[in-house]
Amino acid sequence: MELFLDTANLDEIRQAVRIGVISGVTTNPSLAAKEGIGQLRVYQQQVQEIAQMVSGPISAEVISTDYEGMVLEAREIASWAPNVVAKIPSTMTGFEAIATLSREGIKINQTLCFSVNQAILGARAGSAFVSPFVGRLDDEGHDGMQVVADIVEIFKRYNITTKVLVASIRHPLHCVAAAKAGAHIATVPFKVLTQMAHHPLTDVGVARFAEDWKNAARV
Ligand code: G3P
């Protein structure tokens, strides 16, 4: 399973790139707003900077909710850099826009996916990626990871090439479950990435090895 970073923060992306574990980045209007970005031109600059730091897919989301607006915005977003992917929501209008854009060869990350049926519709419309939001499903008392597992199973059965990109990940166990479910990608907030790396026994082990080595050197 590949790992993407779910952030619009350049410092976090820089650090994750240095660690060498991420192969893409996902952003959305809320993550952009968190960085003080509220204008399309500024979002463009930020996404272009990210696209230079990471060679894999960088998702940027459309703001419009009508068909014409979504199509125009997605075309513009896709022109920002060769590795930029446009995010379109899982709505009837969104599926129509995905169908138009995918016919033009524009890669789409179908976002705000909360059901298997939405994933099937998006795949049929031509989404390159589908993003089930596991955390938000769990928040509502649903089993987010079961939705992921069902999408993976059905896509496999019908040889659907749309990649399953697990989003709205809240903790390290979500990552383990996404990998066990056979998801292609998990997009993780920076905090979760650090939680994935940390284990108290590793810290204890590193300290003990250093201490034993120091004591042996004294003899
Ligand atoms: O990639 C989508 C993700 O950022 C949503 O996460 O935590 O806002 O549900 P969250």
Side-chain angles (χ1 to χ4, degrees):
M1 184 177 72
E2 284 183 67
L3 291 174
F4 287 6
L5 202 62
D6 195 27
T7 185
N9 182 289
L10 296 180
D11 283 339
E12 290 181 349
I13 296 166
R14 225 168 268 127
Q15 284 186 62
V17 166
R18 267 207 313 271
I19 298 163
V21 293
I22 62 152
S23 49
V25 173
T26 50
T27 71
N28 63 40
S30 303
L31 292 171
K34 221 169 123 190
E35 302 307 312
I37 299 165
Q39 285 174 350
L40 194 64
R41 288 292 150 244
V42 189
Y43 191 25
Q44 174 181 354
Q45 281 165 15
Q46 191 88 346
V47 169
Q48 284 174 329
E49 203 162 326
I50 297 170
Q52 280 182 356
M53 294 159 67
V54 179
S55 58
I58 313 300
S59 294
E61 188 152 348
V62 300
I63 314 292
S64 301
T65 51
D66 62 302
Y67 170 80
E68 283 80 14
M70 280 198 261
V71 168
L72 284 176
E73 251 183 79
R75 283 181 187 141
E76 150 121 42
I77 286 171
S79 76
W80 290 349
N83 55 333
V84 172
V85 172
K87 266 176 139 177
I88 305 263
S90 306
T91 60
M92 284 293 259
T93 317
F95 297 132
E96 192 183 348
I98 292 167
T100 301
L101 292 157
S102 67
R103 275 198 300 270
E104 295 173 13
I106 291 176
K107 279 199 171 168
I108 303 299
N109 175 355
Q110 177 203 337
T111 191
L112 290 166
C113 176
F114 294 98
S115 74
V116 175
N117 280 326
Q118 287 179 321
I120 292 171
L121 290 172
R124 286 300 166 222
S127 302
F129 304 90
V130 61
S131 293
F133 273 37
V134 289
R136 293 191 196 186
L137 275 165
D138 291 355
D139 290 346
E140 294 299 314
H142 298 284
D143 185 348
M145 215 43 83
Q146 189 57 52
V147 173
V148 171
D150 289 346
I151 296 171
V152 170
E153 186 193 328
I154 290 164
F155 281 13
K156 257 196 204 133
R157 184 177 305 172
Y158 293 101
N159 294 320
I160 292 171
T161 55
T162 307
K163 289 191 170 171
V164 181
L165 194 173
V166 181
S168 187
I169 282 188
R170 301 278 171 74
H171 50 72
L173 260 185
H174 269 154
C175 264
V176 175
K180 282 171 82 174
H184 301 90
I185 305 153
T187 186
V188 296
F190 189 76
K191 184 178 166 226
V192 174
L193 188 71
T194 59
Q195 289 172 323
M196 287 166 75
H198 183 251
H199 198 290
L201 289 178
T202 306
D203 298 343
V204 168
V206 167
R208 192 176 299 158
F209 285 154
E211 187 61 23
D212 288 348
W213 187 254
K214 209 167 69 190
N215 290 339
R218 270 198 223 114
V219 179

